[in-house]
Amino acid sequence: MKLRNVFSNNVKFYRKQLGISQEKLAELSNLSTNYIGLIESKARRVNIDTIQKLSQGLNIESYKLLINRDR
């Protein structure tokens, strides 16, 4: 599985685990709601700063967003 797919799936997984909306995650991560939607739909590339912002918004370590949980 491509790393982008793993990342997108993990963002959505951890967001749903917290029970928060894309809007709330956007607020917590200081990103736009549209951008969160694009990430979760695998339509957007991200950089290291975005990974850090999302991990802070999700209150998890950044590396967890890059681990394939399907293994």
Side-chain angles (χ1 to χ4, degrees):
M1 181 181 284
K2 289 186 176 184
L3 187 56
R4 184 187 307 175
N5 293 344
V6 169
F7 178 77
S8 298
N9 291 342
N10 283 335
V11 169
K12 188 173 189 175
F13 172 81
Y14 288 112
R15 177 180 64 77
K16 289 190 174 224
Q17 257 198 338
L18 288 175
I20 61 175
S21 65
Q22 289 181 348
E23 292 82 8
K24 184 63 177 177
L25 178 56
E27 179 184 320
L28 294 170
S29 303
N30 198 30
L31 299 167
S32 75
T33 302
N34 185 51
Y35 192 51
I36 299 294
L38 290 171
I39 291 169
E40 288 189 4
S41 67
K42 302 168 183 70
R44 188 66 186 217
R45 294 180 185 182
V46 298
N47 63 34
I48 196 84
D49 295 326
T50 302
I51 294 171
Q52 184 175 17
K53 286 179 179 184
L54 285 166
S55 66
Q56 289 170 344
L58 293 165
N59 198 31
I60 60 171
E61 296 292 328
S62 298
Y63 75 89
K64 290 185 176 183
L65 293 174
L66 304 174
I67 295 175
N68 189 348
R69 292 176 300 96
D70 292 337
R71 288 186 162 189

